[in-house]
Amino acid sequence: MKMDIVLKDRTTQEVIESKCESTKIVAEFENAESMEDFRKKLTNENLSEFEYQKGSNVIGEYKNYTLESVFYVENAGKLEAVFLIRALSNVEIRLAAVERGQEAQDAAIEDLATMAAGGE
């Protein structure tokens, strides 16, 4: 049976319901390019909030995951890809928040330095 995964950026991909788990996304692709396009969407940002849907019904919501590895097999002329994911640890989640805060602080300091130097 089929369902969709919807990533944080609203990217939607049909997946194979009977093979998906909280640590595994399984989908079929026509070619390697479309498989790679989807793999590139599996960033920590997009996996920070995602859900599985059947039609308009949400059947599972997940937060704070990361991509671990990918493998695929050829099956009836299509590529069946398995994307192994895992939940981020509390330490990894906190570190990411600190890094985001540091980036904002660095940008503010750069703006202040520019203004102090007489720039705009």
Side-chain angles (χ1 to χ4, degrees), residues 55-85:
S56 61
N57 297 323
V58 174
I59 59 171
E61 294 178 292
Y62 300 88
K63 291 186 180 220
N64 300 315
Y65 276 72
T66 189
L67 177 64
E68 288 283 286
S69 62
V70 179
F71 65 90
Y72 65 92
V73 295
E74 189 171 343
N75 186 8
K78 293 187 178 185
L79 298 176
E80 184 176 294
V82 177
F83 303 91
L84 298 176
I85 59 175

Side-chain angles (χ1 to χ4, degrees), residues 19-26 52 71 82-85:
K19 296 183 179 184
C20 289
E21 301 172 4
S22 64
T23 58
K24 181 170 61 172
I25 302 165
V26 183
Y52 287 111
F71 65 90
V82 177
F83 303 91
L84 298 176
I85 59 175

Side-chain angles (χ1 to χ4, degrees), residues 63-118:
K63 291 186 180 220
N64 300 315
Y65 276 72
T66 189
L67 177 64
E68 288 283 286
S69 62
V70 179
F71 65 90
Y72 65 92
V73 295
E74 189 171 343
N75 186 8
K78 293 187 178 185
L79 298 176
E80 184 176 294
V82 177
F83 303 91
L84 298 176
I85 59 175
R86 68 168 174 82
L88 293 171
S89 69
N90 287 338
V91 171
E92 290 171 312
I93 294 166
R94 291 177 68 193
L95 179 60
V98 168
E99 289 173 348
R100 283 190 303 274
Q102 185 64 50
E103 289 171 7
Q105 184 179 15
D106 290 348
I109 290 169
E110 185 176 324
D111 289 346
L112 285 173
T114 301
M115 288 174 27

Side-chain angles (χ1 to χ4, degrees), residues 1-7 10-15 17 50-62:
M1 196 166 244
K2 304 280 183 175
M3 67 180 175
D4 292 326
I5 186 170
V6 181
L7 304 177
R10 306 313 295 165
T11 295
T12 302
Q13 173 64 49
E14 187 176 278
V15 295
E17 179 180 8
F50 67 96
E51 59 191 27
Y52 287 111
Q53 294 181 345
K54 284 180 86 172
S56 61
N57 297 323
V58 174
I59 59 171
E61 294 178 292
Y62 300 88

